[in-house]
């Protein structure tokens, strides 16, 4: 079997048979989704869910959505927007930084637990996931969770599937919670600040009750986003401004604010470059020191999630970057070799290995992708 072979089942039953056959032969599979996120150069045939699209049901009144894994994310967002709703965690579109011409899908979004700047306020993708259907590494069709929030009971396997990158099973259907679109949006921009000053601004603003929905820093400017009803938004903006008498922030209007946060969500500042790009998770209080050490390698960086997420773009070998930031994922390889995901250690590694043995005993689903 060629490692370039593309498998594209047209039904869940066909997918189940295909995975069962690969399990019997211990033949690996690379689950590609839309091919727009983390690069997976591992062994085996590529498995696409592109022929499993479609919205199963959408209930705007109950704010719930059920869709097959291969459904393009753009179609989902357009449908929700027509009803004044959205996926509140703001899933990013990483085609610009990956150089992919693929199509982001809702299954790939869940598999990657893809969450944008609004994660600060709304939570991550997994927090809005109500249930899943998936095919495990033996070809069994499994279901967990429900289509409405009151039905989510028992062991919540859907939370395990979110962020597992396809190593526990191949998603075929997901149930999501939707929320209303914010009525208005505005951003306070603080120019001329370094990463340490930006984190101080973030921690001050996020300690208030004013519901900051975005806190990011890029190119020497810190940004705070607020969203809500008109009069409420004006009040919260004024109160936030009063917290920073030593700064003269600029208030961005809604169109400019929306353009800014789309770019921050998609890490657009790092698109169109062949250089390696890293996504680093850390405690916000660690961000200034990590940023200084990463900048010393000679690259550029940006902060999101109030300092909890660092994008690093530039030179540095895999071992160098991970010696600085242990939770660093290589999003764009740029010629680097080695594991994309950081190594798991201690109890976390034991739990992960145990789950993979349970759901994929032959180790055929994305082998090596998350082994570090």
């Amino acid at each position: 079997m060629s490692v370039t072979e593309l498998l594209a089942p047209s039904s869940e039953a066909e997918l189940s048979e295909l995975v069962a056959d690969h399990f019997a032969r211990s033949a690996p599979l690379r689950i590609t989704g839309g091919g727009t996120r983390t690069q997976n150069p591992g062994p085996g045939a590529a498995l696409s869910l592109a022929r499993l699209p479609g919205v199963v049901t959408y209930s705007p009144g109950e704010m719930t959505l059920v869709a097959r894994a291969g459904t393009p994310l753009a179609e989902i967002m357009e449908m929700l927007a027509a009803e004044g709703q959205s996926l509140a965690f703001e899933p990013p579109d990483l085609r610009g930084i990956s150089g992919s011409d693929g199509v982001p899908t809702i299954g790939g979004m869940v598999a990657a637990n893809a969450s944008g700047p609004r994660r600060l306020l709304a939570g991550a993708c997994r927090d809005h996931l109500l249930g899943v259907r998936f095919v495990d590494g033996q070809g069994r069709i499994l279901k967990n969770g429900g289509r409405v929030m009151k039905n989510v009971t028992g062991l919540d396997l859907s939370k395990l599937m979110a962020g597992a990158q396809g190593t526990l099973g191949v998603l075929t259907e997901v149930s999501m919670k939707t929320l209303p679109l914010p009525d208005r949006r505005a951003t306070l921009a603080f120019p001329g600040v370094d990463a340490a000053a930006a984190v101080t601004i973030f921690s001050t603003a996020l300690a208030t009750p004013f519901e900051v929905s975005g806190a990011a820093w890029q190119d020497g400017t810190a940004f705070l986003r607020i969203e809500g009803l008109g009069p409420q938004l004006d009040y919260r903006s004024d109160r936030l401004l009063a917290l920073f008498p030593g700064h003269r922030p600029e208030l961005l209007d809604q169109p400019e604010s929306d353009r800014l946060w789309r770019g921050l969500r998609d890490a657009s500042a790092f698109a169109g470059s062949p250089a390696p790009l890293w996504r680093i998770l850390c405690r916000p209080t660690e961000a200034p020191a990590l940023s200084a050490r990463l900048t010393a390698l000679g690259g550029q960086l940006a902060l999101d999630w109030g300092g909890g997420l660092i994008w690093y773009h530039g030179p540095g070998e895999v071992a160098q970057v991970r010696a600085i930031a242990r939770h660093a994922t290589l999003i764009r390889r740029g010629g680097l070799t080695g594991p994309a995901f950081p190594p798991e250690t201690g109890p976390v590694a034991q739990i992960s290995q145990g789950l993979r043995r349970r759901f994929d005993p032959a180790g055929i689903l994305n082998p090596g992708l998350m082994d570090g």
Side-chain angles (χ1 to χ4, degrees), residues 67 69 106 121 130 139 143 206 255 265 281 293 302 304 308 340 349 354-355:
I106 194 167
L121 183 64
L130 300 175
K143 176 183 177 183
L206 293 170
R265 178 196 72 185
L281 302 181
R293 295 182 65 190
D304 203 346
L355 287 169

Side-chain angles (χ1 to χ4, degrees), residues 221-245:
T221 300
F223 303 101
L224 296 175
R225 180 178 60 183
I226 49 176
E227 302 172 305
L229 300 174
Q232 180 195 71
L233 195 72
D234 294 337
Y235 169 78
R236 286 157 55 204
S237 174
D238 290 342
R239 294 298 300 270
L240 283 170
L241 284 169
L243 294 174
F244 305 103

Side-chain angles (χ1 to χ4, degrees), residues 119-120 194-204 206-207 215-217 280-292 302-310 327:
R119 180 186 182 277
L120 271 177
D194 61 14
V199 170
T200 298
I201 291 170
F202 300 155
S203 61
T204 301
L206 293 170
W217 175 82
I280 298 165
L281 302 181
C282 66
R283 295 187 182 92
T285 53
E286 298 173 340
L290 292 179
S291 298
L303 306 180
D304 203 346
W305 299 353
L309 169 62
I310 301 174
H327 299 291

